[in-house]
Amino acid sequence: MKKLLIMTDSNSGIKIDEGKNMDVFVVPMPFFIDGQEYLEELTLSQDEFYKFLKNDSVNISTSQPSAYYLRDLFKKHLKEYEQIIYIPMMSSLSATCASAISIAAEFDERVHVIDNLRISITQKESVYEAVAMRDKGYSCEEIVKYLLDTKHIASIYIYLDTLKYLKKGGRIKPAAAALANLLGIRPVLYTRGEKFDTYAKVRSITQAKRKMIDKVKSELETEFKEYYDAGKMIVSIAHTQNYEEALKFKDEILAALPKIKFRFIDALSLSVSCHIGSGALAIAISINSFLD
């Protein structure tokens, strides 16, 4: 019997085949589109999703894996592995984590659900760290402790190109969205894992990138300085249908932060994208103590 399986969900941006190559099981996140269920990557691609999203007459809602599905999944894999570490998207954005924690309690401490306040590229980085630790011979308990001890060593800043979907989902009032559009204002949102708050309001993506880089640089030179100086801080970019701008952003980040280790340019997961639409651009920093 194998010792340890790392699990995550498709919010991490890790593809199913990529996960198989690392001995990581990726749970596809479900969506309902006009009442029909779709699974990210398996029955719904990024391109197909955005076609649906742009159609205002289509009703799209996020969902979570059923309790039955997760329970069956844990049972199945525990026939092959002694223990499981499951790293889902942060609990503040989905009930998936709480549901998984409740189900894990049925398995006599063989399943460990990690709520380490991560989403998208920071969640992906946690999975890579867990895999590296497992492959270096760390115990399940040591990996769990590390992931929880370092959960606050990460930040995400994201520029939104449209307020349409926040308004549609009731996350911003129509009058506020209309005024912002009239003035040409766009938000830069920020999270440390609890929730997304507004960090800045900008009039262009150029201004947004400058503000995001300046803030990240400040964090690396102050509260994260110990880890940055030790070469343990990494940076990644996420976007929604904005790859060319993401490539430019990478060059700007590396020019401003020459000591940082650059990791990924990823498309944001569909669970996030359905609330923000296309054109978004994000920067994320987080710890990774196990890079070769």
Side-chain angles (χ1 to χ4, degrees):
M1 181 176 281
K2 298 179 183 179
K3 285 192 174 182
L4 179 62
L5 174 67
I6 308 297
M7 288 179 56
T8 188
D9 58 46
S10 56
N11 288 303
S12 66
I14 296 176
K15 303 298 184 184
I16 291 172
D17 286 342
E18 179 187 2
K20 288 178 181 178
N21 291 334
M22 299 190 295
D23 200 14
V24 170
F25 185 88
V26 180
V27 177
M29 293 301 288
F31 293 81
F32 283 92
I33 301 177
D34 283 346
Q36 181 175 343
E37 185 181 58
Y38 293 84
L39 296 174
E40 183 167 358
E41 194 182 349
L42 291 181
T43 59
L44 184 65
S45 69
Q46 287 263 337
D47 289 342
E48 291 168 331
F49 169 81
Y50 282 105
K51 288 179 182 177
F52 281 122
L53 191 66
K54 290 174 182 177
N55 186 345
D56 289 340
S57 66
V58 172
N59 182 32
I60 299 178
S61 60
T62 57
S63 186
Q64 65 182 69
S66 70
Y68 174 83
Y69 172 77
L70 284 179
R71 185 178 290 108
D72 189 59
L73 203 58
F74 293 155
K75 284 181 180 178
K76 173 186 174 182
H77 288 299
L78 286 174
K79 293 177 181 178
E80 185 179 357
Y81 296 86
E82 294 178 8
Q83 292 180 297
I84 295 171
I85 291 177
Y86 180 34
I87 308 172
M89 70 183 294
M90 57 193 188
S91 60
S92 61
L93 293 183
S94 171
T96 302
C97 187
S99 176
I101 289 172
S102 177
I103 296 165
E106 303 172 14
F107 293 95
D108 298 324
E109 298 187 351
R110 294 182 66 193
V111 178
H112 308 267
V113 180
I114 308 299
D115 183 12
N116 68 332
L117 311 181
R118 303 299 178 88
I119 182 67
S120 184
I121 36 185
T122 59
Q123 181 184 355
K124 182 176 184 175
E125 204 65 53
S126 289
V127 174
Y128 271 71
E129 286 191 287
V131 168
M133 293 182 74
R134 178 195 63 191
D135 294 349
K136 290 177 184 292
Y138 285 84
S139 69
C140 178
E141 292 72 20
E142 288 173 320
I143 298 171
V144 168
K145 183 178 187 304
Y146 172 82
L147 293 175
L148 293 176
D149 285 349
T150 58
K151 65 183 180 182
H152 290 294
I153 311 176
S155 294
I156 298 176
Y157 293 86
I158 179 167
Y159 161 80
L160 305 190
D161 187 55
T162 177
L163 298 175
K164 174 181 176 180
Y165 301 99
L166 289 180
K167 181 182 74 173
K168 189 175 181 179
R171 287 169 172 79
I172 185 173
K173 294 181 179 179
L179 180 60
N181 285 331
L182 181 64
L183 298 175
I185 294 173
R186 295 291 180 266
V188 175
L189 305 181
Y190 157 79
T191 187
R192 280 282 178 88
E194 299 298 338
K195 61 179 181 177
F196 278 93
D197 292 314
T198 300
Y199 165 66
K201 296 176 182 179
V202 299
R203 294 183 181 275
S204 70
I205 193 169
T206 299
Q207 186 182 15
K209 289 190 291 183
R210 184 170 64 250
K211 283 184 174 291
M212 290 191 287
I213 289 174
D214 287 348
K215 182 59 177 175
V216 163
K217 183 177 181 181
S218 174
E219 289 180 345
L220 292 171
E221 293 175 349
T222 55
E223 58 189 306
F224 298 147
K225 180 176 172 54
E226 173 188 349
Y227 311 105
Y228 184 43
D229 288 347
K232 295 181 179 181
M233 294 299 293
I234 60 88
V235 65
S236 291
I237 294 171
H239 66 96
T240 55
Q241 293 191 309
N242 207 3
Y243 183 68
E244 293 302 320
E245 196 65 53
L247 286 175
K248 296 176 187 176
F249 197 25
K250 175 184 176 180
D251 292 338
E252 294 165 14
I253 290 168
L254 293 178
L257 303 169
K259 293 194 303 179
I260 198 74
K261 294 178 179 177
F262 189 89
R263 295 283 278 159
F264 312 113
I265 297 179
D266 278 3
L268 276 165
S269 71
L270 301 188
S271 291
V272 177
S273 302
C274 68
H275 299 299
I276 62 175
S278 61
L281 189 65
I283 182 173
I285 55 172
S286 62
I287 193 170
N288 188 324
S289 300
F290 297 94
L291 289 174
D292 292 329

Coordinates of all heavy atoms in Angstrom, one line a residue, residues 196-274:
F196 N -12.3 38.6 -0.5 CA -11.8 39.6 -1.4 C -12.3 40.9 -1.0 O -13.5 41.2 -0.9 CB -12.1 39.3 -2.8 CG -11.3 38.2 -3.5 CD1 -11.6 36.9 -3.5 CD2 -10.1 38.6 -4.1 CE1 -10.8 35.9 -4.1 CE2 -9.3 37.6 -4.7 CZ -9.6 36.3 -4.7
D197 N -11.3 41.9 -0.8 CA -11.7 43.3 -0.5 C -11.1 44.1 -1.6 O -10.2 43.7 -2.4 CB -11.1 43.7 0.8 CG -11.7 43.0 2.0 OD1 -13.0 43.0 2.0 OD2 -11.0 42.5 2.9
T198 N -11.6 45.4 -1.7 CA -11.1 46.3 -2.7 C -9.8 46.9 -2.2 O -9.7 47.5 -1.1 CB -12.1 47.4 -3.0 OG1 -13.3 46.8 -3.5 CG2 -11.5 48.4 -4.0
Y199 N -8.7 46.7 -3.0 CA -7.4 47.3 -2.6 C -7.3 48.7 -3.2 O -6.8 49.7 -2.6 CB -6.3 46.4 -3.1 CG -4.9 47.1 -3.1 CD1 -4.4 47.6 -1.9 CD2 -4.3 47.4 -4.3 CE1 -3.1 48.2 -1.9 CE2 -3.1 48.1 -4.3 CZ -2.5 48.5 -3.1 OH -1.3 49.2 -3.1
A200 N -7.7 48.8 -4.5 CA -7.5 50.1 -5.2 C -8.6 50.2 -6.3 O -9.2 49.3 -6.7 CB -6.1 50.2 -5.8
K201 N -8.8 51.5 -6.7 CA -9.6 51.7 -7.9 C -8.8 52.4 -8.9 O -8.1 53.4 -8.6 CB -10.8 52.6 -7.5 CG -11.8 51.9 -6.5 CD -12.9 52.8 -6.0 CE -13.7 52.1 -5.0 NZ -14.8 53.0 -4.5
V202 N -8.8 51.9 -10.2 CA -8.0 52.4 -11.2 C -8.7 52.7 -12.5 O -9.9 52.3 -12.6 CB -6.9 51.4 -11.5 CG1 -6.0 51.1 -10.3 CG2 -7.5 50.1 -12.0
R203 N -8.1 53.4 -13.4 CA -8.7 53.8 -14.7 C -8.1 53.0 -15.9 O -8.6 53.2 -17.0 CB -8.6 55.3 -14.9 CG -9.4 56.1 -13.9 CD -9.4 57.6 -14.2 NE -10.1 58.3 -13.2 CZ -11.4 58.6 -13.3 NH1 -12.1 58.1 -14.3 NH2 -12.0 59.3 -12.3
S204 N -7.1 52.3 -15.6 CA -6.4 51.5 -16.7 C -5.7 50.3 -16.2 O -5.3 50.3 -15.0 CB -5.4 52.4 -17.5 OG -4.3 52.7 -16.6
I205 N -5.5 49.3 -17.0 CA -4.7 48.2 -16.6 C -3.3 48.5 -16.3 O -2.6 47.9 -15.5 CB -4.8 47.0 -17.7 CG1 -4.3 45.7 -17.1 CG2 -4.1 47.4 -19.0 CD1 -4.7 44.5 -18.0
T206 N -2.7 49.5 -17.0 CA -1.4 50.0 -16.8 C -1.2 50.5 -15.3 O -0.3 50.1 -14.6 CB -1.0 51.1 -17.7 OG1 -1.0 50.6 -19.1 CG2 0.4 51.6 -17.5
Q207 N -2.2 51.3 -14.9 CA -2.2 51.8 -13.5 C -2.4 50.6 -12.5 O -1.7 50.6 -11.5 CB -3.3 52.8 -13.4 CG -3.3 53.5 -12.0 CD -4.5 54.5 -11.9 OE1 -5.4 54.4 -12.6 NE2 -4.4 55.3 -10.8
A208 N -3.2 49.7 -12.9 CA -3.4 48.5 -12.0 C -2.2 47.7 -11.8 O -1.8 47.3 -10.7 CB -4.5 47.7 -12.6
K209 N -1.5 47.5 -12.9 CA -0.2 46.7 -12.8 C 0.8 47.4 -11.9 O 1.5 46.7 -11.1 CB 0.3 46.4 -14.2 CG -0.5 45.4 -15.0 CD 0.2 45.0 -16.3 CE 0.3 46.1 -17.3 NZ 0.9 45.6 -18.6
R210 N 0.9 48.7 -12.1 CA 1.9 49.4 -11.3 C 1.6 49.3 -9.8 O 2.5 49.1 -9.0 CB 1.9 50.9 -11.8 CG 3.0 51.7 -11.1 CD 3.2 53.1 -11.7 NE 2.0 53.9 -11.7 CZ 1.2 54.2 -12.7 NH1 1.5 53.7 -13.9 NH2 0.1 54.9 -12.5
K211 N 0.3 49.5 -9.5 CA -0.1 49.5 -8.1 C 0.1 48.1 -7.5 O 0.5 47.9 -6.4 CB -1.6 49.9 -8.0 CG -1.8 51.4 -8.0 CD -3.3 51.7 -7.8 CE -3.5 53.2 -7.7 NZ -2.9 53.8 -6.5
M212 N -0.2 47.0 -8.3 CA -0.1 45.7 -7.8 C 1.4 45.3 -7.6 O 1.8 44.7 -6.5 CB -0.7 44.7 -8.8 CG -2.2 44.7 -8.8 SD -3.0 43.4 -9.7 CE -2.7 43.8 -11.4
I213 N 2.3 45.7 -8.5 CA 3.7 45.4 -8.3 C 4.3 46.2 -7.1 O 5.0 45.6 -6.3 CB 4.5 45.8 -9.6 CG1 4.1 44.8 -10.7 CG2 6.0 45.8 -9.4 CD1 4.7 45.1 -12.1
D214 N 3.9 47.5 -7.0 CA 4.4 48.3 -5.9 C 4.0 47.7 -4.5 O 4.8 47.6 -3.6 CB 3.9 49.7 -6.0 CG 4.6 50.5 -7.1 OD1 5.6 50.0 -7.6 OD2 4.1 51.6 -7.4
K215 N 2.7 47.2 -4.5 CA 2.3 46.6 -3.2 C 3.0 45.3 -2.9 O 3.4 45.0 -1.7 CB 0.7 46.4 -3.3 CG 0.1 45.8 -2.0 CD 0.4 46.7 -0.8 CE -0.3 46.2 0.5 NZ 0.0 47.0 1.7
V216 N 3.1 44.5 -3.9 CA 3.8 43.2 -3.7 C 5.3 43.4 -3.3 O 5.8 42.7 -2.4 CB 3.7 42.3 -5.0 CG1 4.8 41.2 -4.9 CG2 2.3 41.7 -5.1
K217 N 5.9 44.4 -3.9 CA 7.3 44.7 -3.6 C 7.4 45.1 -2.1 O 8.3 44.7 -1.4 CB 7.8 45.8 -4.5 CG 9.3 46.2 -4.3 CD 9.8 47.2 -5.3 CE 11.2 47.5 -5.0 NZ 11.7 48.6 -6.0
S218 N 6.4 46.0 -1.7 CA 6.4 46.4 -0.3 C 6.2 45.2 0.7 O 6.9 45.2 1.7 CB 5.2 47.4 -0.1 OG 5.1 47.8 1.3
E219 N 5.4 44.3 0.4 CA 5.2 43.1 1.2 C 6.4 42.3 1.3 O 6.8 41.8 2.4 CB 4.0 42.3 0.7 CG 2.7 42.9 0.9 CD 1.5 42.1 0.4 OE1 1.8 41.1 -0.4 OE2 0.4 42.4 0.7
L220 N 7.1 42.1 0.2 CA 8.3 41.3 0.1 C 9.5 41.9 0.9 O 10.3 41.3 1.5 CB 8.8 41.1 -1.3 CG 7.9 40.2 -2.1 CD1 8.3 40.2 -3.6 CD2 7.9 38.7 -1.6
E221 N 9.4 43.3 1.0 CA 10.5 44.0 1.7 C 10.2 44.3 3.2 O 11.0 44.8 3.9 CB 10.8 45.3 1.0 CG 11.4 45.1 -0.4 CD 11.6 46.4 -1.2 OE1 11.0 47.4 -0.8 OE2 12.2 46.4 -2.3
T222 N 9.0 43.9 3.6 CA 8.6 44.1 5.0 C 8.2 42.8 5.7 O 9.0 42.1 6.1 CB 7.5 45.2 5.1 OG1 6.4 44.8 4.3 CG2 8.0 46.5 4.6
E223 N 6.9 42.5 5.7 CA 6.4 41.3 6.4 C 6.9 40.0 5.9 O 7.1 39.0 6.7 CB 4.9 41.3 6.5 CG 4.2 41.3 5.2 CD 2.7 41.6 5.3 OE1 2.1 40.8 6.1 OE2 2.2 42.5 4.6
F224 N 7.2 39.9 4.6 CA 7.7 38.6 4.1 C 9.2 38.7 3.8 O 9.8 37.8 3.1 CB 7.0 38.3 2.7 CG 5.5 38.1 2.9 CD1 4.7 38.5 1.9 CD2 5.0 37.6 4.0 CE1 3.3 38.3 2.0 CE2 3.6 37.4 4.2 CZ 2.8 37.7 3.1
K225 N 9.9 39.7 4.3 CA 11.3 39.9 4.1 C 12.2 38.7 4.4 O 13.1 38.3 3.7 CB 11.8 41.1 4.8 CG 13.3 41.4 4.6 CD 13.7 42.7 5.3 CE 15.2 42.9 5.3 NZ 15.8 42.9 3.9
E226 N 11.9 38.0 5.6 CA 12.7 36.9 6.0 C 12.7 35.8 4.9 O 13.7 35.2 4.6 CB 12.1 36.4 7.3 CG 12.8 35.1 7.8 CD 12.1 34.5 9.0 OE1 11.2 35.2 9.6 OE2 12.4 33.3 9.4
Y227 N 11.5 35.5 4.4 CA 11.4 34.4 3.4 C 11.9 34.9 2.1 O 12.5 34.0 1.3 CB 9.9 34.0 3.3 CG 9.3 33.8 4.7 CD1 8.4 34.7 5.3 CD2 9.6 32.6 5.4 CE1 7.9 34.5 6.5 CE2 9.1 32.4 6.7 CZ 8.2 33.3 7.2 OH 7.7 33.1 8.5
Y228 N 11.7 36.1 1.7 CA 12.2 36.6 0.4 C 13.7 36.6 0.4 O 14.3 36.2 -0.6 CB 11.7 38.1 0.3 CG 12.0 38.7 -1.1 CD1 11.8 38.0 -2.3 CD2 12.4 40.0 -1.1 CE1 12.1 38.6 -3.5 CE2 12.6 40.7 -2.3 CZ 12.5 39.9 -3.5 OH 12.8 40.6 -4.7
D229 N 14.3 37.1 1.5 CA 15.8 37.1 1.5 C 16.4 35.7 1.5 O 17.5 35.4 1.0 CB 16.3 37.8 2.8 CG 16.1 39.3 2.7 OD1 15.8 39.8 1.6 OD2 16.2 40.0 3.8
A230 N 15.6 34.7 2.0 CA 16.0 33.3 2.0 C 15.7 32.6 0.7 O 16.0 31.4 0.5 CB 15.4 32.6 3.2
G231 N 15.1 33.3 -0.3 CA 14.8 32.7 -1.6 C 13.6 31.8 -1.6 O 13.5 30.9 -2.5
K232 N 12.7 32.0 -0.6 CA 11.6 31.1 -0.5 C 10.3 31.7 -1.0 O 9.2 31.0 -1.0 CB 11.4 30.7 1.0 CG 12.5 29.9 1.6 CD 12.3 29.5 3.0 CE 13.4 28.7 3.6 NZ 13.1 28.3 5.0
M233 N 10.3 32.9 -1.5 CA 9.1 33.5 -2.0 C 9.0 33.4 -3.5 O 10.0 33.6 -4.2 CB 9.0 35.0 -1.6 CG 8.8 35.2 -0.1 SD 7.3 34.5 0.6 CE 6.0 35.4 -0.2
I234 N 7.9 33.1 -4.0 CA 7.7 33.0 -5.5 C 6.5 33.9 -5.9 O 5.7 34.3 -5.1 CB 7.4 31.5 -5.8 CG1 6.1 31.0 -5.2 CG2 8.5 30.6 -5.5 CD1 4.8 31.2 -5.9
V235 N 6.5 34.1 -7.2 CA 5.4 34.9 -7.8 C 4.8 34.2 -9.0 O 5.6 33.5 -9.8 CB 5.9 36.3 -8.2 CG1 7.0 36.3 -9.3 CG2 4.8 37.3 -8.6
S236 N 3.5 34.4 -9.2 CA 2.8 33.8 -10.3 C 1.8 34.8 -10.8 O 1.4 35.7 -10.1 CB 2.2 32.5 -10.0 OG 3.1 31.4 -9.8
I237 N 1.3 34.5 -12.0 CA 0.3 35.4 -12.6 C -0.9 34.5 -13.0 O -0.7 33.4 -13.5 CB 0.8 36.1 -13.9 CG1 1.9 37.1 -13.6 CG2 -0.3 36.8 -14.7 CD1 2.6 37.6 -14.8
A238 N -2.1 35.1 -12.8 CA -3.3 34.4 -13.3 C -4.1 35.4 -14.1 O -4.0 36.6 -14.0 CB -4.2 33.9 -12.2
H239 N -5.0 34.9 -15.0 CA -5.7 35.8 -15.9 C -7.0 35.1 -16.4 O -7.1 33.9 -16.3 CB -4.9 36.2 -17.1 CG -4.6 35.1 -18.0 ND1 -5.3 34.8 -19.2 CD2 -3.6 34.1 -18.0 CE1 -4.8 33.7 -19.8 NE2 -3.8 33.3 -19.1
T240 N -7.9 35.9 -17.0 CA -9.0 35.3 -17.7 C -9.0 35.9 -19.1 O -9.2 37.0 -19.3 CB -10.4 35.7 -17.0 OG1 -10.4 37.1 -16.9 CG2 -10.5 35.1 -15.6
Q241 N -8.7 35.0 -20.0 CA -8.6 35.3 -21.5 C -7.8 36.6 -21.7 O -8.2 37.5 -22.5 CB -10.0 35.5 -22.0 CG -10.8 34.2 -22.1 CD -12.1 34.3 -22.9 OE1 -12.8 35.2 -22.7 NE2 -12.3 33.4 -23.8
N242 N -6.6 36.6 -21.0 CA -5.8 37.8 -21.1 C -4.3 37.4 -21.1 O -3.5 38.1 -20.5 CB -6.1 38.8 -19.9 CG -5.8 40.2 -20.2 OD1 -5.4 40.6 -21.3 ND2 -5.9 41.1 -19.2
Y243 N -4.0 36.4 -21.9 CA -2.6 35.8 -21.9 C -1.6 36.8 -22.4 O -0.5 36.9 -21.8 CB -2.6 34.6 -22.7 CG -1.3 33.8 -22.7 CD1 -0.8 33.2 -21.5 CD2 -0.5 33.8 -23.8 CE1 0.4 32.6 -21.4 CE2 0.8 33.1 -23.8 CZ 1.2 32.5 -22.6 OH 2.4 31.9 -22.5
E244 N -1.8 37.5 -23.4 CA -0.8 38.5 -24.0 C -0.4 39.5 -22.9 O 0.7 39.9 -22.8 CB -1.3 39.1 -25.3 CG -1.5 38.2 -26.4 CD -0.2 37.4 -26.8 OE1 0.9 38.1 -26.7 OE2 -0.3 36.2 -27.1
E245 N -1.4 40.0 -22.2 CA -1.2 41.0 -21.2 C -0.4 40.4 -20.0 O 0.4 41.0 -19.4 CB -2.5 41.6 -20.7 CG -2.3 42.9 -19.9 CD -1.7 44.1 -20.7 OE1 -2.3 44.4 -21.8 OE2 -0.7 44.6 -20.3
A246 N -0.7 39.1 -19.8 CA 0.0 38.4 -18.7 C 1.5 38.2 -19.0 O 2.3 38.3 -18.1 CB -0.7 37.0 -18.5
L247 N 1.8 38.0 -20.3 CA 3.2 37.9 -20.7 C 3.9 39.2 -20.5 O 5.1 39.2 -20.0 CB 3.3 37.5 -22.2 CG 3.0 36.0 -22.5 CD1 3.0 35.8 -24.0 CD2 4.0 35.1 -21.8
K248 N 3.3 40.3 -20.8 CA 3.9 41.6 -20.6 C 4.1 41.9 -19.1 O 5.1 42.4 -18.6 CB 3.0 42.7 -21.2 CG 2.9 42.7 -22.7 CD 1.9 43.8 -23.1 CE 1.6 43.6 -24.6 NZ 0.5 44.7 -25.0
F249 N 3.1 41.5 -18.3 CA 3.1 41.6 -16.9 C 4.3 40.9 -16.2 O 4.9 41.4 -15.3 CB 1.8 41.2 -16.3 CG 1.5 41.6 -14.9 CD1 2.0 42.8 -14.4 CD2 0.6 40.9 -14.1 CE1 1.7 43.2 -13.1 CE2 0.3 41.4 -12.8 CZ 0.9 42.5 -12.3
K250 N 4.5 39.7 -16.8 CA 5.7 38.9 -16.3 C 7.0 39.7 -16.4 O 7.8 39.8 -15.5 CB 5.8 37.6 -17.0 CG 7.0 36.8 -16.6 CD 7.2 35.5 -17.5 CE 8.4 34.8 -17.1 NZ 8.6 33.5 -17.9
D251 N 7.2 40.3 -17.6 CA 8.4 41.1 -17.8 C 8.5 42.3 -16.8 O 9.6 42.6 -16.3 CB 8.5 41.6 -19.2 CG 8.7 40.5 -20.2 OD1 9.2 39.4 -19.8 OD2 8.3 40.7 -21.4
E252 N 7.4 42.9 -16.6 CA 7.4 44.1 -15.7 C 7.6 43.7 -14.3 O 8.3 44.4 -13.5 CB 6.0 44.8 -15.8 CG 5.8 45.4 -17.2 CD 4.3 45.8 -17.4 OE1 3.5 45.8 -16.4 OE2 4.0 46.1 -18.6
I253 N 7.1 42.5 -13.9 CA 7.3 42.0 -12.5 C 8.8 41.7 -12.3 O 9.4 42.1 -11.3 CB 6.5 40.8 -12.2 CG1 5.0 41.1 -12.2 CG2 6.9 40.0 -11.0 CD1 4.0 39.9 -12.2
L254 N 9.4 41.0 -13.3 CA 10.8 40.6 -13.1 C 11.8 41.8 -13.2 O 12.8 41.7 -12.5 CB 11.2 39.5 -14.2 CG 10.4 38.2 -14.1 CD1 10.8 37.3 -15.2 CD2 10.8 37.5 -12.7
A255 N 11.4 42.8 -13.9 CA 12.2 44.0 -13.9 C 12.2 44.7 -12.5 O 13.2 45.3 -12.1 CB 11.7 45.0 -15.0
A256 N 11.0 44.7 -11.9 CA 10.9 45.3 -10.6 C 11.3 44.5 -9.4 O 11.8 45.0 -8.4 CB 9.4 45.7 -10.4
L257 N 11.3 43.1 -9.6 CA 11.6 42.2 -8.6 C 12.6 41.2 -9.1 O 12.3 40.0 -9.2 CB 10.4 41.5 -8.0 CG 9.3 42.4 -7.5 CD1 8.0 41.6 -7.3 CD2 9.7 43.1 -6.2
P258 N 13.9 41.6 -9.3 CA 14.8 40.7 -10.0 C 15.2 39.5 -9.1 O 15.7 38.5 -9.7 CB 16.1 41.6 -10.2 CG 15.9 42.7 -9.3 CD 14.4 42.9 -9.1
K259 N 15.0 39.5 -7.8 CA 15.4 38.4 -7.0 C 14.3 37.3 -6.9 O 14.5 36.2 -6.3 CB 15.7 38.9 -5.6 CG 17.0 39.7 -5.5 CD 17.4 39.8 -4.0 CE 16.4 40.4 -3.1 NZ 16.8 40.6 -1.7
I260 N 13.1 37.7 -7.3 CA 11.9 36.8 -7.1 C 12.0 35.6 -8.1 O 12.5 35.7 -9.2 CB 10.6 37.5 -7.3 CG1 9.4 36.8 -6.7 CG2 10.3 37.7 -8.8 CD1 9.4 36.9 -5.2
K261 N 11.5 34.4 -7.6 CA 11.4 33.2 -8.4 C 10.0 33.2 -9.1 O 9.0 33.2 -8.4 CB 11.6 32.0 -7.6 CG 13.0 31.9 -7.0 CD 13.1 30.6 -6.1 CE 14.5 30.5 -5.5 NZ 14.6 29.3 -4.6
F262 N 10.0 33.3 -10.4 CA 8.7 33.3 -11.2 C 8.3 31.8 -11.4 O 9.1 31.0 -11.8 CB 8.9 34.0 -12.5 CG 7.5 34.2 -13.2 CD1 6.8 35.4 -12.9 CD2 7.0 33.3 -14.0 CE1 5.5 35.5 -13.5 CE2 5.8 33.5 -14.6 CZ 5.0 34.6 -14.3
R263 N 7.0 31.6 -11.3 CA 6.5 30.2 -11.4 C 5.5 30.0 -12.6 O 5.9 29.3 -13.5 CB 5.8 29.8 -10.1 CG 6.8 29.7 -8.9 CD 7.6 28.5 -8.9 NE 6.9 27.4 -8.4 CZ 7.1 26.1 -8.6 NH1 8.1 25.8 -9.4 NH2 6.4 25.1 -8.0
F264 N 4.3 30.5 -12.5 CA 3.3 30.1 -13.5 C 2.6 31.3 -14.1 O 2.5 32.4 -13.4 CB 2.2 29.3 -12.8 CG 2.7 28.2 -11.9 CD1 2.6 28.2 -10.6 CD2 3.4 27.1 -12.5 CE1 3.0 27.2 -9.8 CE2 3.9 26.1 -11.7 CZ 3.7 26.1 -10.4
I265 N 2.1 31.1 -15.3 CA 1.1 32.0 -15.9 C -0.1 31.1 -16.1 O -0.1 30.2 -17.0 CB 1.5 32.7 -17.2 CG1 2.7 33.6 -16.9 CG2 0.3 33.4 -17.8 CD1 3.1 34.3 -18.2
D266 N -1.2 31.2 -15.3 CA -2.3 30.3 -15.4 C -3.6 31.0 -15.7 O -3.8 32.1 -15.3 CB -2.5 29.5 -14.1 CG -1.6 28.3 -13.9 OD1 -0.7 28.1 -14.8 OD2 -1.7 27.7 -12.9
A267 N -4.5 30.3 -16.4 CA -5.9 30.8 -16.6 C -6.6 30.5 -15.2 O -6.4 29.5 -14.6 CB -6.6 30.0 -17.7
L268 N -7.3 31.5 -14.8 CA -8.0 31.4 -13.5 C -9.1 30.3 -13.6 O -9.6 30.0 -14.7 CB -8.7 32.7 -13.1 CG -7.9 33.7 -12.4 CD1 -8.5 35.1 -12.4 CD2 -7.6 33.3 -11.0
S269 N -9.3 29.6 -12.5 CA -10.3 28.5 -12.5 C -11.7 29.1 -12.9 O -12.0 30.2 -12.7 CB -10.4 27.9 -11.1 OG -11.0 28.7 -10.2
L270 N -12.5 28.2 -13.4 CA -13.9 28.6 -13.8 C -14.7 29.1 -12.7 O -15.6 30.0 -12.8 CB -14.5 27.5 -14.6 CG -13.8 27.0 -15.9 CD1 -14.7 26.0 -16.6 CD2 -13.4 28.2 -16.7
S271 N -14.5 28.5 -11.5 CA -15.3 28.9 -10.3 C -15.1 30.4 -10.0 O -16.0 31.1 -9.5 CB -14.9 28.1 -9.1 OG -15.3 26.8 -9.2
V272 N -13.9 30.9 -10.2 CA -13.6 32.3 -10.0 C -14.0 33.1 -11.2 O -14.6 34.2 -11.1 CB -12.1 32.5 -9.7 CG1 -11.8 34.0 -9.6 CG2 -11.6 31.8 -8.5
S273 N -13.7 32.6 -12.4 CA -14.0 33.3 -13.6 C -15.5 33.7 -13.8 O -15.8 34.7 -14.4 CB -13.5 32.5 -14.8 OG -12.2 32.2 -14.7
C274 N -16.4 32.8 -13.3 CA -17.8 33.1 -13.5 C -18.3 34.3 -12.8 O -19.3 34.9 -13.1 CB -18.6 31.9 -13.1 SG -18.6 31.6 -11.4

